Amino acid sequence: MLVKHQVLFALVVSVLAGVCTDGFQNGTLKYVIPESWKAVTGSSPMRLAEFVLPRIDGDGEDGALVLYYFKGQGGSVQANLSRWMSQMVQPGDRPSRDASTTRTLIANGLNLTVLEIEGTYVAAVRPGATERYYKPDFKMVAAIVETPAGPYFMKLTGPRKTIERWSSEVQNFLRSVYFE
């Protein structure tokens, strides 16, 4: 069974902080997630929603899906794709661009650009940090959802086999997004 979620707790966080974004004045990104994904509390106001995708047997950690909104900011589609590709390294110094796939789709009238890439995950531990993760055999599925209130960004990372296990549910999630 699927559960309908709205990005309402971000509005509550924004109101408590004394800020109301244009995105929430003009509409809200909505989506459907599988009941088996676990919602967790966002660790920053820019993280509108976070979900844990349970690991498969043999994997050392769960998958993590984060939905971001930067109040209509966040850079171009190409800049984000390039940044995400730089967070994965390939064997033999193969360019990550050559190891990735990018596609576009339209979901409920919204343009999405979706990146999928496997490799060793080497993103900064937190924005601006010099310390980096080193997680071999990881997979990332990242998407930019273009809305009237600006782009929303979705990033899913985790052990490759766990992310592949959730592939069809992730695709259904992406096709479910709408703006209202």
Side-chain angles (χ1 to χ4, degrees):
M1 180 176 180
L2 297 177
V3 177
K4 188 180 247 186
H5 282 260
Q6 296 181 352
V7 187
L8 293 179
F9 64 92
L11 176 59
V12 171
V13 169
S14 295
V15 169
L16 290 174
V19 176
C20 187
T21 67
D22 288 341
F24 292 107
Q25 291 172 348
N26 296 327
T28 303
L29 186 72
K30 299 179 182 181
Y31 47 87
V32 177
I33 63 157
E35 194 171 86
S36 53
W37 293 5
K38 297 177 182 111
V40 294
T41 303
S43 58
S44 88
M46 298 298 181
R47 291 179 172 220
L48 297 183
E50 293 185 48
F51 300 96
V52 170
L53 284 63
R55 73 187 85 174
I56 63 165
D57 288 342
D59 274 349
E61 64 185 274
D62 298 319
L65 186 147
V66 180
L67 182 66
Y68 300 90
Y69 180 66
F70 301 109
K71 301 177 185 175
Q73 305 299 308
S76 70
V77 169
Q78 189 55 53
N80 280 281
L81 294 174
S82 294
R83 182 174 46 78
W84 289 329
M85 282 186 263
S86 75
Q87 295 174 351
M88 297 291 250
V89 295
Q90 306 304 315
D93 294 327
R94 178 178 174 212
S96 286
R97 179 175 301 283
D98 295 347
S100 67
T101 59
T102 304
R103 63 189 168 87
T104 57
L105 63 107
I106 297 174
N108 302 304
L110 300 174
N111 292 323
L112 283 77
T113 303
V114 181
L115 169 76
E116 293 195 37
I117 187 168
E118 298 175 8
T120 299
Y121 185 58
V122 295
V125 172
R126 65 188 167 286
T130 56
E131 183 182 1
R132 297 193 166 279
Y133 293 109
Y134 184 82
K135 298 185 177 198
D137 201 23
F138 254 49
K139 184 169 183 171
M140 177 192 303
V141 179
I144 300 160
V145 183
E146 298 175 53
T147 77
Y152 286 74
F153 304 90
M154 185 276 304
K155 183 176 165 185
L156 168 62
T157 58
R160 180 183 51 81
K161 289 179 183 176
T162 290
I163 301 307
E164 288 173 354
R165 180 269 174 253
W166 292 105
S167 179
S168 99
E169 289 89 344
V170 170
Q171 299 313 311
N172 289 340
F173 166 78
L174 292 172
R175 285 191 290 271
S176 79
V177 299
Y178 64 102
F179 192 78
E180 188 174 75

